[in-house]
Amino acid sequence: VDMLLQFYDDPEFMHQLLDDRANFYIQVYTPILEQIRPDFAFLWEDMCFKNGPLLSPDLFREFLLPAYRKVISFLHDYGVNNVIVDSDGDVTKLIPLWLEAGVTGLLPFEVQSGMDVVELGKAFPQLLIIGGINKFRLFGSREEIDAELDRVLPAMAKRGGYIPTLDHWVPPEISLDNFRYYTEKIRNFRR
């Protein structure tokens, strides 16, 4: 909480902190990117919770967008054109800003936070979507697993730009049999 208040109490410090962090990433990754060309960059951000972002889109635009643009521009200079952000919670309000910064994909699209990948896929057709399959449906019967996959897979396969996976880590309550069934259904899915 104290750090979030710094956006108001000491905005100059926060601008400098975020710029320094962007410069740090660039310094760390330059020697790596001079040796290899990854298919994508992955940024872990956890910027949201169940009810939305931890800071307003206006604050994100002012403070974080410049740092994102700086890092993503650097990645593009090295041929890394796919940038994927991991953020839990309801990310809806930040998707346009991430896209503006050059982010190409997001995950995990937690269903419990209101993230519906079918609807978001329609709203943001250019966005690579990873996740969005309700992990809690794998606790139940095969019929419940089928219903969840039938809700997501046909629409997302038609849309494209989707990697089917659970909306977060695999909880230990999912039986091995159910997980095998789920993975087999995904593997054998046909449009």
Side-chain angles (χ1 to χ4, degrees), residues 80-169:
V80 182
N81 295 317
N82 288 304
V83 179
I84 299 168
V85 170
D86 176 322
S87 184
D88 297 342
D90 181 350
V91 299
T92 308
K93 291 179 181 175
L94 296 184
I95 292 173
L97 293 164
W98 274 317
L99 290 171
E100 187 178 329
V103 169
T104 55
L106 290 168
L107 66 106
F109 293 95
E110 290 182 293
V111 175
Q112 295 72 31
S113 296
M115 298 288 88
D116 181 338
V117 292
V118 174
E119 292 305 313
L120 289 167
K122 292 175 191 172
F124 303 100
Q126 72 278 39
L127 182 66
L128 171 64
I129 294 176
I130 304 169
I133 296 174
N134 189 341
K135 63 187 165 288
F136 293 118
R137 295 295 172 256
L138 274 69
F139 290 12
S141 66
R142 289 185 171 190
E143 290 77 19
E144 289 175 277
I145 295 169
D146 289 343
E148 179 64 7
L149 295 178
D150 289 345
R151 177 185 76 82
V152 174
L153 293 182
M156 295 307 285
K158 182 178 178 183
R159 171 196 184 268
Y162 176 64
I163 298 174
T165 188
L166 298 181
D167 65 349
H168 215 277
W169 299 107

Side-chain angles (χ1 to χ4, degrees), residues 12-44:
E12 185 177 316
F13 168 74
M14 292 305 289
H15 279 293
Q16 187 63 55
L17 174 75
L18 290 163
D19 191 54
D20 288 348
R21 186 170 180 148
N23 290 332
F24 172 76
Y25 286 135
I26 290 167
Q27 184 176 11
V28 166
Y29 289 109
T30 295
I32 296 167
L33 293 176
E34 288 174 349
Q35 300 296 317
I36 63 167
R37 284 294 168 270
D39 294 329
F40 64 92
F42 182 81
L43 306 173
W44 182 68

